Amino acid sequence: MGVSGFIKGFSFLRRTKPRARFHPYAYIQWRKFSDSRILNRNDSLLPVLIVGAGPVGLVLSILLNKFGIKCTVLEKNKIFSKHPQAHFINNRTMEVFRKLDGLAEEIQRSQPPVDLWRKFIYCTSLTGSILGSVDHMHPKDFEKVVSPISVAHFSQYKLTRILVKMLENLGFGIHSLEGPEGLHPEPLRGREILMGHECVSIDTTDECVTATVSFSKEGKLLTRKIQSKILIGADGSGSTVRKLVGIQLKGEKDLQKLVSVHFWSKELGQYLLNKRPGMLFFIFNTEAIGVLVAHDLTQGEFVLQIPFYPPQQNLEDFSPEICKKLILKMVGQELSDIDVVDIKPWVMHAEVAERFVCGNNQIMLCGDAAHRFPPAGGFGMNTGIQDAHNLAWKISFLLKGVAPSSILATYETERKPIAVFNTALSVQNFRAAMAVPATLGLDPTVANSVHQVINKVVGSILPSGMQKVILDGIFSIGRSQLSGLILNENNPLGSSRLAKLRHIFEEGKSLQLQFPAEDLGFRYLEGALVPDSKDVASAPELPTGRRRDYVPCADPGSRLPHMNVRVLSNFPSEETISTHDLVSVDKVEFLLIIAPVEESYNLAQAAFKVAEEYKVSTKVCVLWPADTVTGFQRGSKAKLAPWKNYSDIIEVKTTSDSLSWWRTCQMTERGAILVRPDEHIAWRSKSSIVGDPYAKMKMVFSTILGFKSQPIQETVS
């Protein structure tokens, strides 16, 4: 993705040395945490404590459970939120969900049909004139050439509900504070979600992290201490864990304040379903401005986002009755069944935590706790889930004694640059969204400047009521630009604005939904991987906020390219799968992909030997060309004996001119690819290795796992 140079421009990438700090709830003492052996001295400790039961914390707990690591999840709220929040699941996250017991398939079955949400619609009202429409699904998005699955539109609370059910099926107990199960026996067994429990202090020692947790029981405020080997802060943008450990955020604060109105209306849903289906509706008229998110047109579930300007405005100005009136102004006609169920203010930020890992690699931040994005492009939840995917296998390796604690430091090394880039991309996409109202004569930066002037100049002079009148008056004058007298083809000014608006939509300069190049093509430049010996990072590409296509590659740190393959066996029916499915779902295992050539078989033999020494499960995949007819059964068996953890795979070409696997990866068939448990490439050799394959694989595994090893000079033929 070429982000390294761009990332260096952010001063907050510099690491800071951990030190003791005072905090509102606790004094946190960092002490030496030497290696993985320390973690295994006290088996009574909870292996992992996850603070936050949002999608990121829940996905992490599922992944850890699959890898045999017990964890407990804390959630300060007593019930799971039903506010829809995030709703777009990008390609890479759906690929992660494919590996979680049918989760992706359930989302696809439950989501609205794609034709109901593929468009963004810009209009004067939901029943009025359409200013423009953008279709965000291209034909290639359905072809499954670069990915085995497509994006999805599915509300966050529905995703949470499915994840909780999955955890219950895995043996997790959901403990509320009602009834006898609210008081938990000691010690925790490592498969529970504790609702209504808030982390109020954190302390670390050589062997564990101690979290003091408060909860209310029968009207009494109680506390308990939970000791774990690792603590994960997945507790959202206002993360208590982040504050307790003293990690600061860097970036842009307060980009925009909004009020989110969650409501139901089957009448509105049916109208839009029949007349103008879409995901987002940008509404501009003389009485109101807002963005309507259609979470489910069939059921009539919506969220309306309205600009919010405190202190002149306050939450009381958005009562359910007032919100109904605003909704009707944006609909443009009467509705009899509007049911406002939730009203929440929120602030849009673009910030990344200075550190993702602290406490001598015992405490980590995930998701919104580590980065807060504008919602433009839907990177927030998706980046967080990919954080969890990156972290889960590393925690497993550490707790099982396979790797030293430095393996967890690579989580920050790898994920923080991605968060920085995605933050900048989200900001650019947000600014692209603002180009539409600006073209209509409603520049949001002007509105924010006016608001700041009122706060700074007249805020200390005039009473709040007068300030509100002035603000409303100025905004009313601004919205007059949307009058039908101005905004029409017969008015020279209106005609010019409408022409500019069409150009914005046609050129892809408005808010975008999909970013395939960044979604699938992000790359870790350093971390738990071995860079190419002559690897030179490409020139930095500043995010533009525009869609770019993904080009597969097999550079170290990249996601494994997708190709359809078949597992060769003696059975007549051989299922077509993705290369992603070659990576194990239920255990932490490396995958070595080779071609059926002598040098690669020798390399595979060496890899098996080294992996056995490091106690790392490794599977070899022998990938045969699409035109192979015979010879595979006896060939690999004889070449890889006595090792048995291998598979023979054959390419499945979608068309006659489809590239072969090795050409797709921009490599020769004498090369090899080592894939990590998170489907990212840990190491590759473009062509055959000349020299000692055992020494080479020894260097590769020791580097990835974080053990010191003498570098081996690579020679290729």
Side-chain angles (χ1 to χ4, degrees), residues 648-700:
D648 286 294
I649 312 294
I650 190 168
E651 299 173 355
V652 175
K653 289 194 173 185
T654 53
T655 62
S656 59
D657 59 348
S658 295
L659 294 179
S660 70
W661 168 253
W662 298 108
R663 286 193 64 189
T664 297
C665 294
Q666 302 173 39
M667 296 170 58
T668 73
E669 65 175 9
R670 308 183 82 80
I673 298 173
L674 184 66
V675 187
R676 307 188 323 190
D678 62 354
E679 297 162 16
H680 280 259
I681 294 169
W683 166 82
R684 62 93 179 265
S685 178
K686 287 188 175 182
S687 56
S688 60
I689 296 171
V690 176
D692 183 359
Y694 173 84
K696 181 62 181 179
M697 296 315 299
K698 185 86 171 181
M699 183 278 293
V700 167

Side-chain angles (χ1 to χ4, degrees), residues 181-354:
E181 77 279 5
L183 293 174
H184 311 294
E186 295 286 358
L188 294 170
R189 64 189 184 90
R191 281 197 178 123
E192 51 267 304
I193 300 176
L194 308 183
M195 304 298 294
H197 285 63
E198 183 173 9
C199 180
V200 296
S201 73
I202 300 171
D203 182 48
T204 63
T205 67
D206 285 351
E207 294 195 6
C208 71
V209 182
T210 301
T212 302
V213 179
S214 72
F215 59 97
S216 179
K217 180 68 175 177
E218 297 175 352
K220 296 180 181 179
L221 185 64
L222 306 175
T223 62
R224 67 180 301 179
K225 293 186 182 296
I226 301 176
Q227 293 186 322
S228 62
K229 298 172 183 177
I230 291 173
L231 184 145
I232 309 295
D235 49 341
S237 61
S239 173
T240 298
V241 171
R242 186 184 67 235
K243 294 171 184 174
L244 288 174
V245 299
I247 294 177
Q248 301 298 314
L249 293 166
K250 295 292 183 181
E252 297 183 65
K253 291 181 181 292
D254 300 343
L255 289 175
Q256 181 74 60
K257 293 182 175 67
L258 299 110
V259 169
S260 178
V261 183
H262 180 204
F263 72 97
W264 296 79
S265 172
K266 278 208 167 186
E267 282 185 48
L268 179 58
Q270 286 303 309
Y271 172 81
L272 295 174
L273 194 67
N274 295 324
K275 299 293 184 180
R276 51 179 71 169
M279 176 191 284
L280 298 185
F281 297 82
F282 299 82
I283 306 159
F284 307 97
N285 63 49
T286 57
E287 293 188 278
I289 294 173
V291 180
L292 185 75
V293 185
H295 282 266
D296 192 324
L297 291 178
T298 303
Q299 297 299 318
E301 184 176 21
F302 301 93
V303 170
L304 179 62
Q305 305 285 3
I306 310 167
F308 181 40
Y309 296 93
Q312 290 78 23
Q313 295 178 341
N314 54 58
L315 196 55
E316 286 69 34
D317 295 326
F318 297 90
S319 66
E321 284 305 314
I322 292 174
C323 287
K324 285 182 182 179
K325 292 178 181 178
L326 282 169
I327 292 167
L328 291 176
K329 289 177 181 178
M330 296 190 195
V331 172
Q333 69 180 31
E334 288 295 319
L335 296 172
S336 62
D337 67 341
I338 298 175
D339 180 19
V340 176
V341 294
D342 198 11
I343 302 167
K344 287 185 175 181
W346 64 283
V347 183
M348 187 187 301
H349 304 287
E351 298 177 297
V352 177
E354 290 182 306

Side-chain angles (χ1 to χ4, degrees), residues 230-233 356-357 361-366 391 408 411:
I230 291 173
L231 184 145
I232 309 295
F356 286 20
V357 180
N361 301 332
Q362 290 168 281
I363 301 171
M364 278 133 277
L365 301 179
C366 260
L391 186 55
L408 296 186
Y411 163 66

Side-chain angles (χ1 to χ4, degrees), residues 616-637:
V616 177
S617 179
T618 299
K619 180 179 180 179
V620 169
C621 167
V622 184
L623 191 56
W624 295 75
D627 55 0
T628 300
V629 179
T630 59
F632 63 87
Q633 287 113 330
R634 64 178 182 275
S636 295
K637 184 176 182 179

Side-chain angles (χ1 to χ4, degrees), residues 461-702:
I461 302 172
L462 297 178
S464 58
M466 183 63 71
Q467 294 178 46
K468 186 176 187 303
V469 170
I470 294 173
L471 187 69
D472 289 346
I474 293 172
F475 286 171
S476 179
I477 293 171
R479 290 196 301 271
S480 67
Q481 300 290 314
L482 302 170
S483 165
L485 296 174
I486 298 176
L487 201 61
N488 68 78
E489 294 291 355
N490 295 323
N491 183 303
L493 177 60
S495 177
S496 173
R497 287 175 174 175
L498 291 172
K500 289 179 181 177
L501 202 58
R502 286 192 294 271
H503 178 74
I504 287 174
F505 296 143
E506 290 167 1
E507 296 295 317
K509 295 179 180 178
S510 61
L511 178 71
Q512 298 298 299
L513 179 65
Q514 290 207 71
F515 295 90
E518 291 79 10
D519 175 13
L520 300 177
F522 68 87
R523 177 188 175 196
Y524 305 135
L525 298 180
E526 56 180 333
L529 53 88
V530 183
D532 284 349
S533 57
K534 297 180 181 178
D535 192 14
V536 178
S538 57
E541 296 181 15
L542 296 177
T544 64
R546 301 191 196 178
R547 173 171 172 148
R548 295 188 302 119
D549 288 332
Y550 161 72
V551 178
C553 78
D555 294 336
S558 300
R559 154 195 170 274
L560 178 69
H562 155 73
M563 175 180 277
N564 287 326
V565 296
R566 281 190 297 112
V567 179
L568 296 171
S569 66
N570 295 322
F571 298 101
S573 59
E574 296 165 340
E575 184 182 3
T576 297
I577 62 173
S578 167
T579 46
H580 288 197
D581 298 320
L582 302 174
V583 180
S584 177
V585 178
D586 297 316
K587 60 181 177 179
V588 187
E589 182 177 71
F590 282 93
L591 172 72
L592 181 66
I593 302 175
I594 62 171
V597 296
E598 187 71 23
E599 298 92 333
S600 296
Y601 280 125
N602 292 338
L603 186 72
Q605 285 272 4
F608 276 132
K609 292 177 184 177
V610 173
E612 185 178 57
E613 293 172 10
Y614 280 113
K615 297 181 174 57
V616 177
S617 179
T618 299
K619 180 179 180 179
V620 169
C621 167
V622 184
L623 191 56
W624 295 75
D627 55 0
T628 300
V629 179
T630 59
F632 63 87
Q633 287 113 330
R634 64 178 182 275
S636 295
K637 184 176 182 179
K639 296 293 184 180
L640 294 176
W643 310 102
K644 297 181 179 180
N645 193 20
Y646 70 90
S647 294
D648 286 294
I649 312 294
I650 190 168
E651 299 173 355
V652 175
K653 289 194 173 185
T654 53
T655 62
S656 59
D657 59 348
S658 295
L659 294 179
S660 70
W661 168 253
W662 298 108
R663 286 193 64 189
T664 297
C665 294
Q666 302 173 39
M667 296 170 58
T668 73
E669 65 175 9
R670 308 183 82 80
I673 298 173
L674 184 66
V675 187
R676 307 188 323 190
D678 62 354
E679 297 162 16
H680 280 259
I681 294 169
W683 166 82
R684 62 93 179 265
S685 178
K686 287 188 175 182
S687 56
S688 60
I689 296 171
V690 176
D692 183 359
Y694 173 84
K696 181 62 181 179
M697 296 315 299
K698 185 86 171 181
M699 183 278 293
V700 167
F701 275 99
S702 64

